[in-house]
Amino acid sequence: FFFCCLRRSVMRLEKCYFCESTVYPGHGICFVRNDCKVFRFCRSKCHKNFKRKRNPRKTKWTKAYRRASGKDMTVDTTLEFEKKRNRPLKYDRELIGTTIKAMKRIAEIKHNREARHIERRLRGKKKERTMEAIKELRQFKHIIRPPTATKPTLLQIKASQRAKRLQQERTKKDKNTLDDHLPTPVQQQS
Amino acid sequence: MGRPQARSRKHTSKDKRKDIKTKHRVKDLDQIIVDLKPENAEKLEKQEVDPDLPGLGQHYCISCSRYFVDARALSDHRKTKIHKRRVKALKEDIYTGPQQLIDNGKPIMRDESN
């Protein structure tokens, strides 16, 4: 017998082992180790770094480093979709169609979330720090006041003034309630 | 003429040396982790006499994947910083690649799939 195998070459976008960027067909180098593990590299830079046995988690420009140091988003539901599964699926045209649509949408969402993650990281903690400082001041302002001072602090003066003002308003209000019962003079334009 | 200049290795970088070539390749950390498993470690510590290897292959440091000439060399090696660094590195989380697999890549047989 002579079996003619029609092998269709499947194009697949791989991830570079070192920097995790996409390796397009026709690019990069693929290294197969003695234990049959396949390493793909997008360019000679990554390949050379790999040969020098550098750890991608410590090489600053790689995705592995950025994830390990929290610079890029690590935990997200959109990243779950990128996981490879070894389960073979029966070909279903509709499924393929919906998958392609979903892929586009998920990519959008993922992109936005990653951008937001970086934004949040770069925003800094200035606002949070000032709020914390205000809170702390309010809590311990009685300590800040020197114990030997006999003069009232500005805050105390203002507080007493405010109390006086409120009391005056209250007394005014009490006087006004009597007037409320009388009919208000309505100016009629003749 | 004067004597030839002694070749100094002061300004050569380790990375430029020939040991980076694939034919001089040494085991990767993820391979060594497999070696360190008790079933494999047993075999590696008691290897057959191999005349091609230094020390006939009898003195092997698993974490550094290196053969030594005699037991003393091996014990001296175990005190070195390089060895200690390697042991420490092996305890850390090792980078296995970008591919994330569902169920840790366990292959699912066709019979199991719907």
Side-chain angles (χ1 to χ4, degrees), chain A residues 15-18 20 31 33 35 37 50-57 64 83-88, chain B residues 15 20 22 25-28 30-31 93-102 105 107-108 110 113:
Chain A
K15 291 276 175 194
C16 172
Y17 172 84
F18 201 82
E20 253 179 89
F31 169 66
R33 204 167 59 181
D35 59 353
K37 185 166 178 186
F50 175 77
K51 284 198 273 185
R52 283 167 195 177
K53 301 206 175 270
R54 291 204 183 137
N55 188 357
R57 286 223 182 105
K83 287 191 180 175
K84 187 180 177 188
R85 53 185 76 220
N86 274 328
R87 178 186 290 261
Chain B
D15 295 338
I20 294 165
T22 308
R25 210 178 145 70
V26 178
K27 275 192 178 174
D28 290 326
D30 55 330
Q31 287 176 303
D93 229 0
I94 292 208
Y95 181 69
T96 46
Q99 201 80 69
Q100 290 188 61
L101 301 164
I102 288 178
I108 300 164
R110 279 185 191 270
S113 64

Side-chain angles (χ1 to χ4, degrees), chain B residues 55-108:
Chain B
L56 307 175
Q58 297 304 298
H59 312 285
Y60 181 68
C61 175
I62 301 174
S63 25
C64 306
S65 67
R66 267 183 74 183
Y67 291 93
F68 292 92
V69 177
D70 51 21
R72 201 206 149 179
L74 178 61
S75 63
D76 283 347
H77 162 76
R78 291 234 161 93
K79 294 175 201 164
T80 59
K81 276 187 193 173
I82 296 171
H83 175 80
K84 288 176 187 170
R85 245 186 255 152
R86 182 56 82 89
V87 170
K88 194 177 172 190
L90 286 165
K91 286 182 185 166
E92 288 173 4
D93 229 0
I94 292 208
Y95 181 69
T96 46
Q99 201 80 69
Q100 290 188 61
L101 301 164
I102 288 178
D103 300 335
N104 283 326
K106 283 181 215 159
I108 300 164

